[in-house]
Amino acid sequence: MESLASHGAIVHTCARTSSDVDSAVREWTARGWRVSGAVCDVSDAASRASLVADASRRFGGRVDILVSNVGFNIRKPTVDFTEAEYAALMNTNLASAFELCKAFHPLLAASGDASVVFNSSVASLVSMQSGAIYAMSKAATNILTKYLACEWAKDRIRVNAVAPWYIATPLAQQVLSDPEYERAVLDATPAGRVGEPREVGDATAFLCMPASSYVTGQILAVDGGFSVNGWRPPGRKRSKL
């Protein structure tokens, strides 16, 4: 959101708690950006409906950009997942994004030149230690991206996704705090470092700009070259042919 706001977009953001919303709006407003916010749990249908109604009122029934940035993960072996964990991951990471873009479609179509960007993951492109369900949810998001790009082109709505690798966020730090794991991540990344949140934000902003007006249905890996290099889990040697 910072990248879009810094390029002049009028941003309406959301989070699950009022403290998170208020903190973000305060910080960004202090920088001179035009930002507002609302409390919303996008995994809840009533909360999504409230967000769409709020956005419609604020922007006169028209929205030019929708960024679906929701996601969480549970890391464990596939056989250890419960049905409840499967449902929670798929509902939050996939179903909420699917339902939200459906609900926003009339507002996006009213724009006449709109862009949707999903936050996917390189876990949707290659096997890594993300857990199967998370990877499944993001892979399905990629297919949703491609289908909507074709289906909504007639409405002048472009649909793309960014697929980050490890980014320097508190969530990623939970696993990068293990020195052996961090070393494996850096060794697998040609750029030799984890990414910065700004770098994902700038890629997202690009996909919303006129500069990308002929780009749709694409999954843009923001990964320092990881997805073309391969992944070797910590402590495991590659098999020899």
Side-chain angles (χ1 to χ4, degrees), residues 66-70 93-94 96-102 116-121 138 141-146 148-149 152 159-164 204 207 218-220:
L66 173 63
V67 178
S68 180
N69 192 38
V70 66
N93 294 356
L94 177 61
S96 66
F98 176 75
E99 295 295 341
L100 198 63
C101 65
K102 278 174 52 185
V116 176
V117 181
F118 293 111
N119 190 359
S120 181
S121 167
K138 294 302 184 177
T141 299
N142 293 355
I143 293 299
L144 177 62
T145 299
K146 295 176 182 294
L148 290 185
W152 289 1
V159 185
N160 293 287
V162 292
T204 300
L207 291 172
Q218 302 304 304
I219 316 302
L220 176 59

Side-chain angles (χ1 to χ4, degrees), residues 57-129:
R57 286 192 300 270
R58 288 176 181 274
F59 300 120
R62 163 184 166 173
V63 169
D64 299 317
I65 297 168
L66 173 63
V67 178
S68 180
N69 192 38
V70 66
F72 88 105
N73 196 12
I74 301 170
R75 294 172 180 271
K76 58 170 61 177
T78 300
V79 295
D80 293 340
F81 277 102
T82 66
E83 290 186 12
E85 289 170 336
Y86 174 89
L89 279 164
M90 296 300 283
N91 183 52
T92 300
N93 294 356
L94 177 61
S96 66
F98 176 75
E99 295 295 341
L100 198 63
C101 65
K102 278 174 52 185
F104 267 101
H105 177 264
L107 280 67
L108 294 163
S111 165
D113 186 16
S115 178
V116 176
V117 181
F118 293 111
N119 190 359
S120 181
S121 167
V122 291
S124 69
L125 305 174
V126 296
S127 176
M128 50 175 279
Q129 290 184 323

Side-chain angles (χ1 to χ4, degrees), residues 40 44 72 75 87 90 92 95 106 160-161 168 174 177 212 220 222 227 234 236:
C40 177
D44 177 75
F72 88 105
R75 294 172 180 271
M90 296 300 283
T92 300
N160 293 287
Q174 294 175 14
S177 59
S212 64
L220 176 59
V222 186
S227 59
R236 184 180 300 174

Side-chain angles (χ1 to χ4, degrees), residues 5-30:
S6 68
H7 282 91
I10 303 172
V11 172
H12 186 60
T13 189
C14 71
R16 288 176 294 173
T17 67
S18 58
S19 60
D20 284 343
V21 172
D22 293 343
S23 175
V25 171
R26 243 190 340 265
E27 178 185 347
W28 296 340
T29 301

Side-chain angles (χ1 to χ4, degrees), residues 178-191:
D178 178 344
E180 184 182 12
Y181 194 91
E182 181 184 31
R183 184 72 261 161
V185 167
L186 298 181
D187 286 346
T189 308

